[in-house]
Amino acid sequence: MSYDVFLSHSHVDKVWTRDLYDRLATTDYNGRMLRAWLDERVLDPGNLSSARELESALDHSRRLAIVLTPASLASHWVQHEIRYFLDIRQADNVALIRRRPCAVPEPLVNSWLVDWPESAEGGEQREKLLGFLRPAAGKRVEYNHRHAVRRAWGEARVQQLEDFDPTPTEANRALLDLLLSYDIADLDEEGLALAGFDRVGQSVAEMDASEGYGVRMVLGEFLAVAALRNAAYAQVAASYVSRDIRSEARPSFLTVRNRALAGKAGPPSTTNLLFAVARLGSKLAEIDPSRVDLSTMAAVLHRLDQRPVLGRQEHVVAIMVGRTLGKLRNTALVDALLHALVEWGGDASHVATAAAISAAFDDHDPVVFYTEELKRLALDAKAPPIRPPLPRIARLLLDPATRLRRNTRVAEDVLRSRDDFARAFGAWQPNGIWRAIVEAPPATKLENGPLVGTVRRVTLANMESFADRLGPTDIACLTEPRIVDALLDGAGGYLIDDQQAAAPLGTRLRGRGVRFATCDRHILDRFEDCSVLAMWPSPPGLLPTGFVVGAG
C-alpha cells in the first residue's frame, strides 16, 4: 500500500500526532480517504526488529511530515527517517510542522514549512497542510467524473446492440477511455480511477436480471482491460463481490431510489455484478492466466452457493466461472480448487466444476469479444493450449462415489456434462486417485475467503526478496512477528498466527479488505513453501477447511 504522508515525530508529541493522523484519515481526496502512516497505528508494539519496518513505509510514502520540535530534532529515529527519505525524495516533498520554536535543519530549508504553535486553533495551518498533501484536490472533481461516467454509461447502454451481438460500439470505446483516463497507480488519481468503476457498478447493480446481458459482458471486459493494464484493478472485482453481499441482504438506498425514478418495481438482480466478475475471469484466462484471481472466482461461487435457489441467472454465472477454471485446469492450483468445490461447495460450485471438467473448447466454441481493445490483446497473447482434463479431476465428474455425483439438485447438469465429456474425450476408466492432495491443516478463522494460491513462506530474512513480486495466486505465510507486510502488497492472501489476529497486523489486513486465514502457531508451521492451498469457508461454528498439495 502507498501512503500520502509518513508522520515523523518524537514521543513527546505522540498525542497530538495521533489526533492529526485521525483527522487526516477522515479527509477525502478525490474519492478516497487520505492515507497517513503513523508508527503506533501500523507497527506492532515493542522494539523494531530492524530499521526496514520504517524504511519500507518511507519507500511507499510520497510525502514526509515532521512534527518539528527540539525533541524531534534530538530523536535518533526522526533523524534516521529524515536521512533515509532525503536519499529517495527531494526536500520539497517534506512538510515541517513547527510546534515549538527551533531552527530548520540545513537539508530541509527548501521544505514546506507550517508554523503551527501549540496555542493556535489550527484551522489555517490544517488547510495549508492539506494543500501540500492534496495538490490535485478539487471539491467537485469526483462528482464531475462520476457524472461524466454516468452519462457515458447511458450512451453506451443505449447504443449497445442486441444483447447477444458482440459488435464493439463507439460508445463502449468512449466509456472505456473515460474509465481509464485516470491512473490508479498515481495517488492523486487513484480515487478517481476507482470511482468510475464504482459508478458503473452502481448502475449495473440497479438493473433487473432480465435486462442488460450485453452491458454486463461489456463491464466484465472493461475490468479485464483494466486488470491487464494494472494489477491494482483486481480490487474492483473484489469490491463488486462485496457489493453483491450487501445488496442481497438489503439494496442500498441509492439503488432503491434510482430504480424508483426509472419506474422500476421490486428488487434488482443480485447476480449482475457477479456476472461481470465471471466475464473478467474468462477473458483473463484467455489472455494472461497469471492475472486470474482464483480466490475471487471462488468467492463468486461461494456467494451463489449461499442462495436458497440456484436460479437461471445464477446458473449462467456458475457456468461462466466453471469455463474459466476449465481453461486453467491440469495445474495443481486449479485442480485443488476443483476438489475443494466438490467436497465443500454447494450447487453453484458443483455446476461450475462439472462445466470445468467437461468443456472441450474446440474450434466450434466461438471466442466472443464486446471490446475492441480486449480483442486486440487476445490476438497478441500466447496463452497455453487447453488440454484434456487429467484423470485426477475427471473422476470428480465421472466417479459415482464423488459428492458431485450424489448431489441430486444438479443431476441434470452433471448428466449433460458427462455426455459432453464422453463426446469430447472418450470413455473414462475408474482411476485417477490423486494421492498428493490431502486435507489442509485446519485454520482457526478465514476472513474474506475463500483463499486459493501457492504458499510462500515469508521470513524476516527473505521478505525483501518477495517484495513486489507476489501475485494474485500467491499466499504469503507470515512465519515471524514484525514481517513488513507492506512489502507483500501484491499477494492474493495471507496466513498469519492466531496471536496476530487482534494485533496491528490483523487490523491492517482487515482495513485493506484482503483475504487471510489465522492459524495456531504449530498449524502455521505445517504449511510448506510452494505448496498449493485451496481453503474454503465453513458454516458457523466449524473451522475453515480445504485441500493442500505438497511442494514436491
Side-chain angles (χ1 to χ4, degrees), residues 333 451-456 469-476 490-494:
L333 188 54
L451 188 60
V452 183
T454 302
V455 176
R456 309 296 183 184
R469 67 181 180 90
L470 297 184
T473 57
D474 291 310
I475 301 172
Y494 298 81

Side-chain angles (χ1 to χ4, degrees), residues 2-8 24 29 34-37 57-66 81 85 88-95 112 129-136 186-188:
S2 295
Y3 299 95
D4 294 290
V5 59
F6 180 109
L7 297 177
S8 177
L24 293 178
Y29 186 22
L34 272 175
R35 289 198 292 271
W37 190 96
L58 290 165
D59 286 337
H60 290 83
S61 300
R62 64 169 177 173
R63 302 277 193 271
L64 172 65
I66 304 168
E81 290 156 7
F85 191 81
I88 58 175
R89 306 277 193 277
Q90 299 296 316
D92 56 6
N93 290 308
V94 179
W112 185 283
L129 178 62
L130 290 178
F132 174 72
L133 298 180
R134 304 183 304 168
D186 186 324
L187 285 174
D188 291 329

Side-chain angles (χ1 to χ4, degrees), residues 22-83:
D22 291 339
R23 289 175 180 271
L24 293 178
T26 56
T27 300
D28 179 79
Y29 186 22
N30 291 344
R32 65 171 178 85
M33 295 295 110
L34 272 175
R35 289 198 292 271
W37 190 96
L38 179 64
D39 53 2
E40 69 171 38
R41 295 299 173 89
V42 178
L43 295 179
D44 296 313
N47 295 327
L48 298 179
S49 60
S50 73
R52 197 67 184 105
E53 294 191 62
L54 298 176
E55 293 168 357
S56 66
L58 290 165
D59 286 337
H60 290 83
S61 300
R62 64 169 177 173
R63 302 277 193 271
L64 172 65
I66 304 168
V67 181
L68 195 63
T69 64
S72 64
L73 290 177
S75 166
H76 162 76
W77 285 113
V78 171
Q79 291 304 310
H80 176 79
E81 290 156 7
I82 292 172
R83 287 192 300 271

Side-chain angles (χ1 to χ4, degrees), residues 325-389:
L325 299 180
K327 295 169 187 175
L328 306 173
R329 66 195 176 202
N330 295 347
T331 63
L333 188 54
V334 172
D335 291 358
L337 173 57
L338 293 175
H339 276 74
L341 294 177
V342 169
E343 189 66 26
W344 291 290
D347 292 353
S349 292
H350 287 182
V351 168
T353 303
I357 297 170
S358 63
F361 304 105
D362 55 27
D363 294 337
H364 302 292
D365 200 12
V367 178
V368 175
F369 292 95
Y370 286 73
T371 308
E372 195 64 47
E373 181 170 348
L374 200 62
K375 182 178 181 180
R376 177 181 57 79
L377 291 171
L379 291 173
D380 294 338
K382 291 182 172 54
I386 301 171
R387 298 182 176 87

